[in-house]
């Protein structure tokens, strides 16, 4: 059952984040700009009124005595003019009857401000003696505010357009970022369901491409691991089935002879049972430690133990086992269980499919230790690559344990190869040698039975 996870989808998170940042940016830039536009338009209006008032003041000295005809006429879209005395009373022109701005303007060169519904500017009337009055130029303040509002509306429209474009880009970016994750989630679920054929996709996002490649590598490694586990299980069943079959055949053969002495058969059965127990313990230890890493293995002692276990089985068929170990043989960097199982496979293969004496020879080769297992048979029925391949299974049963031995050798950090195919086949196991040198093992003499 799929678990439901809480939290907002990535698409929504990206969209909301980009939209929030865009809105905040618009507000931060738009508010100061709106204030600046308002001040700009008011300053422009005041400057125009000052210019018009100054022109009117140049022709007013006569009008202060009562001749309004000299004032500029008010145009439909232009300012209105009025002449005021120093007390702020209107003498001529248009405007309010009294103007506080005009009264203060008699004492100040230029004054501007809002009076009623007008934006007004007062300019002193020039005189040789003193200020005799002021000219007041005014326009409806609404003309300024309307212009400001139209500018604000245009700015708001542009802001909405910017936010809309940001929303489109944010949605596209959200899809661009979320689609790879959604695809990777689908691939991960397929991998969890056992589909190891997934392949990396390219999304144009470096992190997503890296994750996709990692998933493909993981799927490939898991697939290879599963294939190795299946092959290992198949080969292990062969390793267990062969000694068990031999045990059953020996006991049945003894039972078919009523007058036969059962003691040799029982001793043989016990020997085979001990061999089977050792095989099972080794395989269990290898399964529990898939890396096959372990302490340094004393190869001389291990070869002696393996030789002792196989001496009886070979002697029962009239054959002998010879061990040749050079003095000061280095220790091996491998799991003892893995090395023992590899040697069991090679010796068992020589026992059932070879002929004559079986020889185990161990010696150092550079930084490695070589262990050669040979017999005096006619040779191998197939090429080395076919025998060591995982699919090597033949009707005659030859070499069915060799793929397991090859896999164990590789997992232990070594290698298994066919040094000589025919005549007298020779298999070589190469293991990494430890730097230290153990006590010398005397070369084991060939055991003859």
């Amino acid at each position: 059952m799929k678990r439901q996870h809480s939290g907002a989808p990535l698409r929504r998170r990206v969209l909301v984040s980009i939209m929030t940042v865009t809105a905040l940016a618009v507000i931060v830039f738009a508010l100061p700009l709106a204030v600046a536009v308002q001040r700009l338009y008011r300053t422009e209006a005041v400057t125009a009124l000052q210019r018009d008032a100054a022109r009117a003041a140049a022709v007013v000295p006569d009008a202060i005595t009562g001749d309004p005809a000299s004032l500029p006429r008010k145009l439909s879209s232009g300012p209105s003019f009025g002449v005021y005395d120093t007390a702020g009373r209107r003498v001529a022109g248009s405007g309010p009857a009294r103007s506080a701005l005009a009264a203060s303007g008699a004492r100040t060169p230029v004054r501007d401000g809002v009076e009623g519904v007008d934006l007004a500017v007062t300019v002193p009337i020039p005189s040789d003696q003193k200020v005799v009055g002021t000219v007041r130029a005014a326009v409806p303040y609404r003309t300024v505010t309307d212009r400001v509002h139209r500018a604000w509306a245009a700015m708001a429209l542009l802001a909405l357009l910017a936010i809309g474009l940001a929303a489109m880009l944010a949605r596209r970016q959200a899809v661009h970022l979320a689609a790879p994750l959604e695809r990777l989630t689908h691939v991960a679920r397929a991998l969890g369901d056992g589909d190891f054929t997934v392949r990396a996709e390219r999304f144009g996002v470096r992190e997503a491409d890296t994750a996709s490649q990692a998933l493909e590598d993981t799927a490939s490694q898991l697939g290879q691991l599963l294939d190795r586990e299946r092959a290992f299980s198949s080969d292990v069943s062969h390793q267990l089935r062969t000694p068990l079959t031999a045990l059953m055949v020996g006991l049945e053969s003894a039972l078919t002879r009523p007058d036969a002495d059962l003691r040799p058969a029982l001793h043989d059965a016990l020997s085979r049972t001990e061999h089977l127990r050792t095989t099972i313990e080794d395989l269990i230890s290898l399964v529990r430690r898939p890396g096959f890493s372990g302490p340094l293995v004393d190869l001389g002692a291990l070869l002696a133990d393996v030789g002792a276990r196989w001496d009886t089985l070979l002697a029962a068929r009239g054959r002998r086992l010879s061990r040749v170990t050079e003095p000061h043989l280095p220790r091996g960097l491998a799991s003892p269980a893995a090395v023992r199982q590899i040697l069991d496979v090679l010796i068992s293969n020589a026992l059932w499919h070879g002929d004559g004496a079986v020889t185990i020879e161990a010696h150092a080769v550079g930084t490695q230790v070589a262990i050669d297992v040979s017999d005096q048979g006619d040779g191998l029925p197939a090429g080395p690559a076919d025998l060591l391949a995982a699919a090597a299974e033949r009707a005659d049963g030859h070499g069915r344990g060799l793929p397991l031995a090859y896999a164990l050798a590789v997992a232990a950090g070594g290698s298994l190869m066919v040094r000589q195919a025919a005549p007298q086949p020779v298999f070589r196991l190469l293991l990494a040698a430890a730097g230290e040198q153990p006590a010398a093992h005397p070369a084991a003499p060939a055991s003859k039975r």
Side-chain angles (χ1 to χ4, degrees):
M1 182 178 64
K2 297 180 180 179
R3 298 177 58 185
Q4 298 294 331
H5 299 279
S6 58
L10 178 62
R11 296 190 182 194
R12 186 186 305 171
R13 286 179 178 271
V14 174
L15 183 61
V16 171
S17 299
I18 296 180
M19 290 297 297
T20 301
V21 172
T22 303
L24 290 177
V26 168
I27 292 174
V28 168
F29 285 101
L31 289 180
L33 183 60
V35 174
V37 167
Q38 182 185 30
R39 291 180 178 177
L40 175 63
Y41 286 171
R42 190 180 189 279
T43 300
E44 288 181 352
V46 169
T47 301
L49 288 175
Q50 287 178 351
R51 183 178 61 252
D52 294 339
R55 291 176 180 175
V59 296
V60 162
D62 295 335
I64 195 65
T65 60
D67 186 8
S70 60
L71 289 174
R73 295 183 179 182
K74 180 180 183 303
L75 301 177
S76 58
S77 59
S80 58
F81 299 94
V83 178
Y84 290 79
D85 60 17
T86 56
R89 292 186 296 269
R90 178 166 55 86
V91 177
S94 60
R98 299 188 64 88
S99 172
L101 191 65
S104 61
R107 299 184 297 273
T108 307
V110 177
R111 295 281 295 177
D112 65 85
V114 178
E115 283 187 329
V117 296
D118 294 335
L119 175 63
V121 172
T122 59
V123 175
I125 299 174
S127 174
D128 295 337
Q129 304 297 329
K130 60 180 180 178
V131 176
V132 295
T134 58
V135 173
R136 177 182 180 272
V139 293
Y141 190 55
R142 184 174 180 180
T143 58
V144 178
T145 58
D146 287 347
R147 187 183 179 191
V148 171
H149 292 164
R150 286 193 299 270
W152 284 357
M155 292 170 57
L157 184 61
L158 291 176
L160 291 177
L161 180 61
I163 293 176
L165 292 175
M168 295 175 59
L169 294 176
R171 183 178 180 84
R172 182 178 179 182
Q173 188 68 13
V175 171
H176 184 63
L177 293 178
L181 295 182
E182 293 170 354
R183 180 57 185 165
L184 290 175
T185 301
H186 175 74
V187 171
R189 286 176 177 170
L191 180 60
D193 293 336
D195 182 8
F196 303 115
T197 61
V198 296
R199 292 293 177 264
E201 297 184 29
R202 294 293 176 263
F203 305 102
V205 180
R206 184 175 60 182
E207 290 78 5
D209 292 344
T210 303
S212 179
Q213 185 63 49
L215 273 178
E216 179 183 350
D217 295 341
T218 301
S220 177
Q221 293 174 2
L222 288 177
Q224 295 174 4
L225 178 61
L226 183 60
D227 291 340
R228 286 197 300 266
E229 290 292 335
R230 289 172 178 170
F232 183 79
S233 300
S234 175
D235 296 332
V236 163
S237 67
H238 170 71
Q239 283 298 99
L240 298 178
R241 186 167 55 248
T242 299
L244 185 59
T245 302
L247 175 62
M248 293 176 61
V249 169
L251 291 176
E252 291 176 354
S253 176
L255 291 175
T256 57
R257 295 177 294 168
D259 56 345
D261 186 3
L262 296 181
R263 288 185 179 181
L266 292 177
H267 285 296
D268 182 68
L270 288 175
S271 177
R272 293 181 184 275
T273 303
E274 180 65 21
H275 189 176
L276 182 60
R277 183 185 67 83
T278 303
T279 300
I280 293 175
E281 290 178 352
D282 287 344
L283 293 176
I284 290 176
S285 68
L286 293 176
V287 171
R288 289 177 177 174
R289 292 186 301 177
F292 304 136
S293 60
L296 299 178
V297 55
D298 187 343
L299 294 175
L302 186 143
L303 291 177
D305 176 66
V306 171
R309 287 192 295 108
W310 283 96
D311 271 341
T312 303
L313 298 177
L314 285 166
R317 302 192 64 162
R319 300 170 64 181
R320 60 188 172 85
L321 176 66
S322 301
R323 289 186 296 108
V324 180
T325 306
E326 73 173 18
H328 305 287
L329 183 67
R331 296 177 183 269
L333 294 173
S335 167
V339 178
R340 186 162 39 240
Q341 284 303 307
I342 295 171
L343 294 177
D344 282 349
V345 169
L346 297 179
I347 298 174
S348 174
N349 192 67
L351 172 63
W352 296 104
H353 308 291
D355 194 11
V358 178
T359 303
I360 304 176
E361 182 182 357
H363 58 278
V365 179
T367 60
Q368 295 179 306
V369 178
I371 302 175
D372 294 339
V373 178
S374 62
D375 64 77
Q376 297 176 341
D378 294 333
L380 302 176
D386 294 333
L387 285 174
L388 298 178
E393 292 199 13
R394 286 175 160 67
D396 60 358
H398 190 90
R400 294 182 62 184
L402 292 176
L404 173 62
Y406 179 80
L408 291 176
V410 173
S415 62
L416 180 64
M417 65 185 69
V418 178
R419 185 184 177 191
Q420 179 176 310
Q424 300 182 357
V426 179
F427 288 89
R428 168 165 289 187
L429 172 63
L430 289 174
L431 299 173
E436 59 175 322
Q437 299 292 332
H441 291 283
S447 56
K448 300 181 181 179
R449 296 180 184 267

